[in-house]
Amino acid sequence: MYRYHCLNPISQVGIEKFTEKYQAVEDVCQADAILVRSASMHKMEFDNQLKVIARAGAGVNNIPLDRCAEQGIVVFNTPGANANGVKELVLAGMLMAARDIVGGIQWVQSYDAEEDVAKATEKKKKAFAGTELEGKKLGVIGLGAIGVLVANAAANLGMEVYGFDPYVSVDAAWKLSRNIHHAQSAEEIYKVCDYITIHVPALQDTIGMINKDTLALMKEDVVILNFARDILVNQEDILEALDNRKIRCYVTDFPTKELQGKKGTIVIPHLGASTEESEDNCAKMAVAEIMDYLENGNIKHSVNYPDCDMGVKGTGNRITILHRNIPNMLGQFTGLLALEGMNISLLANKSKGEYAYTMIDVEAQVSDAVQEQISKVEGVLKVRVIS
């Protein structure tokens, strides 16, 4: 029996995917797996029994990834599960920036003059006139699950779309419309596009990527949309560009005190993935990742260990080893098994930065003594035998 604990409310649609092999527990110290959304885990102490954490969403800044890796705890996220919900909000953001829909609605709601509002509307509506999206140039920086959907949808709206991502995956490339212009650099997008939307993770070279220098490359009256991470944008530089009217509108899903009520901004209260469908999809993917890892040892969509898949475990034993990425680890593992006369029927080894993962299928029963010997190999972080 595997035990799981939910740190946040998780969609029941996902929880119902757990089979009878799984039991919910109130005490997190008893859990083999933790499901989490936004709860901060940085101050949590992890019991040795904990094997996996699944984040029902994409961002993992609430999880101590390095500490988890050192303790042999695999951390998953659910990329793409909420992509459609974010895509739709990005499109809404572009429409609100193109036409002063928000200002018009607020005017109608606050109208209290004696003149009939319908008559007053005909006089006032010019103040909220805007432009259409068709024919405008949109730059999409980051062509992952969300960026591809945004690019394709914008192209279908008649926009001229430029996409840039030096690390675009083969899968994303196949999904990208042939009508998308492949920009050679982010600078090309900065220089030619009327609308710019960013969909990249927060990494050392992307934090603050929209700043005074990149803003200087952009067209006058550019619209910038940020539904990815708040720290991708230098807020101080954005505020200055708004004051100088370099930017026509800044649309973001990340409210701050400085942006609140600022002219030229559309600030949304972090609603990108806040749809029933997104929450259901994230929960279902997170549960599937947990089950595949606990039952088969397979890793898919991990953020601190390499992905590794040997399919459904057969009738024999499967040894899974989380370890440091250092030379001769495989030789030591196979050597120990050879000394015990154990035949290896299937083996996989993957590495990611400082860490690696090895899966070994053997035909014989793996004793506690063999497992102990493997765990004592220098650099091994956690050993598990799935029987």
Side-chain angles (χ1 to χ4, degrees), residues 310 317-319 343-347 359-363:
M310 288 211 315
N317 280 193
R318 178 168 288 179
I319 307 168
N343 186 47
I344 296 173
S345 56
L346 192 62
L347 183 149
M359 302 170 70
I360 305 172
D361 279 357
V362 294
E363 298 172 358

Side-chain angles (χ1 to χ4, degrees), residues 71-285:
Q71 293 184 234
I73 301 167
V74 179
V75 180
F76 294 100
N77 68 349
T78 56
N82 57 16
N84 190 68
V86 178
K87 175 209 75 176
E88 291 185 359
L89 198 61
V90 172
L91 295 178
M94 284 198 291
L95 289 165
M96 289 188 289
R99 308 174 71 171
D100 191 6
I101 300 168
V102 175
I105 292 171
Q106 290 174 340
W107 176 80
V108 171
Q109 290 177 332
S110 63
Y111 184 79
D112 60 358
E114 291 184 5
E115 183 182 1
D116 182 81
V117 68
K119 292 181 179 180
T121 294
E122 293 307 311
K123 300 175 185 177
K124 185 66 177 178
K125 68 180 184 181
K126 289 183 180 179
F128 309 111
T131 59
E132 297 179 11
L133 294 179
E134 186 176 10
K136 303 300 185 299
K137 292 183 174 69
L138 169 68
V140 181
I141 301 176
L143 295 170
I146 297 170
V148 166
L149 291 180
V150 170
N152 290 346
N156 290 334
L157 289 174
M159 299 187 80
E160 189 176 344
V161 182
Y162 292 73
F164 173 70
D165 190 334
Y167 308 110
V168 63
S169 68
V170 173
D171 186 52
W174 275 108
K175 293 176 181 177
L176 196 63
S177 167
R178 65 177 64 186
N179 296 320
I180 310 302
H181 300 284
H182 292 182
Q184 298 303 307
S185 66
E187 286 73 18
E188 181 182 347
I189 284 176
Y190 297 147
K191 292 176 180 178
V192 304
C193 292
D194 307 296
Y195 293 78
I196 297 172
T197 180
I198 47 179
H199 300 284
V200 297
L203 304 173
Q204 189 172 354
D205 58 346
T206 61
I207 292 173
M209 63 183 290
I210 304 298
N211 54 49
K212 185 174 294 187
D213 294 334
T214 54
L215 286 165
L217 299 174
M218 298 179 193
K219 300 169 71 171
E220 299 294 324
D221 285 337
V222 67
V223 173
I224 298 174
L225 302 104
N226 179 14
F227 288 80
R229 294 287 181 273
D230 56 346
I231 56 177
L232 300 176
V233 171
N234 184 305
Q235 183 174 271
E236 192 174 306
D237 293 347
I238 283 283
L239 292 169
E240 183 179 340
L242 285 166
D243 289 337
N244 297 336
R245 298 190 177 180
K246 172 74 175 185
I247 300 174
R248 173 154 59 97
C249 189
Y250 176 53
V251 188
T252 181
D253 205 21
F254 308 101
T256 67
K257 184 178 180 180
E258 293 76 14
L259 292 173
Q260 187 179 8
K262 177 71 175 178
K263 185 177 180 181
T265 64
I266 297 173
V267 184
I268 301 167
H270 205 188
L271 299 180
S274 294
T275 67
E276 290 183 14
E277 295 86 350
S278 288
E279 292 181 7
D280 290 350
N281 290 337
C282 287
K284 287 189 288 186
M285 183 181 287

Side-chain angles (χ1 to χ4, degrees), residues 1-4 30-34 49-53 294:
M1 180 69 70
Y2 298 111
R3 296 176 174 85
Y4 68 90
Q30 297 177 357
D32 299 291
I34 292 176
Q49 181 171 318
L50 182 64
K51 302 170 182 65
V52 55
I53 296 170
L294 292 180

